[in-house]
Amino acid sequence: PMTTHVLVGTAGNGSWYRSNVIATLTATDNVGGVGVASTTMDGSAYTTPRTISTQGASTHTYFSTDAANNVESTKSFSLNIDTVAPSSSITSHAASQPVRATISLGGSVSDATSGVSLVEVSTDSGATWSATTLAGGTWSYSINTTSFPDGSKTFQVRSTDNAGNQSTVSHTLLVDNTPPTSSHSIAGTMGNNGYYVTAPVVTISATDATSGVASRTFDGANYTAPVTISTQGTTSHTYFATDAAGNNS
């Protein structure tokens, strides 16, 4: 007898299937033959189409026997199945982390069967995608955040395996490229000619609309409370505020 096979499944990239594959065997005996008695696939009797779900590469054998006990030479076919999308994550920044200027977004990616082919980033809700730098199980992508307005910004990361399966994860960061606003006030008893006749007390105030004020610095030291200036004569003092994204006033 002679047996042929037909495979039906969702074709992926290259030689991969992205779904289970149904194998159908058809056996015929030569004209005037006694007819097909049985068909064997992978060592067991074949009666109905077989569903193959083995992930990765697999090889399958088949043959038929006619009623006169003539046995067909064993035939085989091989196929590759990967129905599972790759897994990716963003590890370079915590969710809602304040960021400024140019950042390197990065993370990990893996695919157990066909392997990772591509990792892309979208900054416009999936309208366009840009390829990242992929090295082994990690990826990275440089983003200039100054092109976005201050506030929450969602980035999407799409991973594709060699079979064509895709997965997408989203990550929201807090963009803040605007420095905080800082000011000072001086309390003390004013005398003549711009001199204080009591030790003046300097208070530093700061505000930041997006990521918030992280710290204030006065004369090179961390400012936590009003400072009393006791130095006699004329003195100059510096201060600035830093927000949670790292911008300085």
Side-chain angles (χ1 to χ4, degrees):
M2 183 178 68
T3 311
T4 59
H5 74 273
V6 174
L7 303 178
V8 176
T10 302
N13 296 335
S15 61
W16 290 92
Y17 286 96
R18 295 193 297 112
S19 69
N20 293 339
V21 175
I22 298 175
T24 300
L25 304 182
T26 301
T28 58
D29 201 26
N30 62 323
V31 177
V34 293
V36 176
S38 66
T39 299
T40 300
M41 178 177 173
D42 291 341
S44 62
Y46 171 92
T47 55
T48 59
R50 296 271 182 92
T51 298
I52 302 171
S53 59
T54 303
Q55 297 291 298
S58 62
T59 298
H60 305 271
T61 60
Y62 62 91
F63 63 88
S64 293
T65 305
D66 65 18
N69 207 32
N70 296 303
V71 180
E72 177 185 19
S73 297
T74 299
K75 297 178 178 179
S76 67
F77 63 86
S78 297
L79 72 162
N80 301 303
I81 296 176
D82 183 357
T83 63
V84 182
S87 174
S88 61
S89 63
I90 299 171
T91 58
S92 59
H93 297 78
S96 300
Q97 179 176 331
V99 294
R100 60 178 293 275
T102 298
I103 64 170
S104 180
L105 198 68
S108 61
V109 62
S110 63
D111 186 85
T113 305
S114 63
V116 178
S117 170
L118 179 68
V119 178
E120 301 165 287
V121 169
S122 176
T123 62
D124 54 10
S125 301
T128 60
W129 295 89
S130 300
T132 69
T133 299
L134 182 61
T138 63
W139 60 270
S140 61
Y141 184 74
S142 181
I143 299 175
N144 183 358
T145 67
T146 60
S147 60
F148 311 124
D150 285 357
S152 293
K153 178 66 180 178
T154 298
F155 302 92
Q156 292 176 290
V157 177
R158 182 173 68 185
S159 302
T160 306
D161 64 21
N162 286 302
N165 300 298
Q166 292 183 327
S167 65
T168 302
V169 295
S170 298
H171 206 63
T172 299
L173 300 177
L174 183 62
V175 173
D176 184 0
N177 285 295
T178 303
T181 300
S182 58
S183 60
H184 72 278
S185 61
I186 303 175
T189 302
M190 182 66 73
N192 296 331
N193 301 311
Y195 282 86
Y196 286 94
V197 295
T198 60
V201 177
V202 179
T203 299
I204 306 299
S205 300
T207 59
D208 187 85
T210 305
S211 62
V213 175
S215 65
R216 290 167 288 178
T217 301
F218 181 78
D219 285 348
N222 186 43
Y223 173 91
T224 57
V227 177
T228 299
I229 308 297
S230 58
T231 304
Q232 297 295 302
T234 300
T235 58
S236 295
H237 305 272
T238 61
Y239 65 91
F240 63 88
T242 304
D243 63 23
N247 300 296
N248 293 327
S249 63

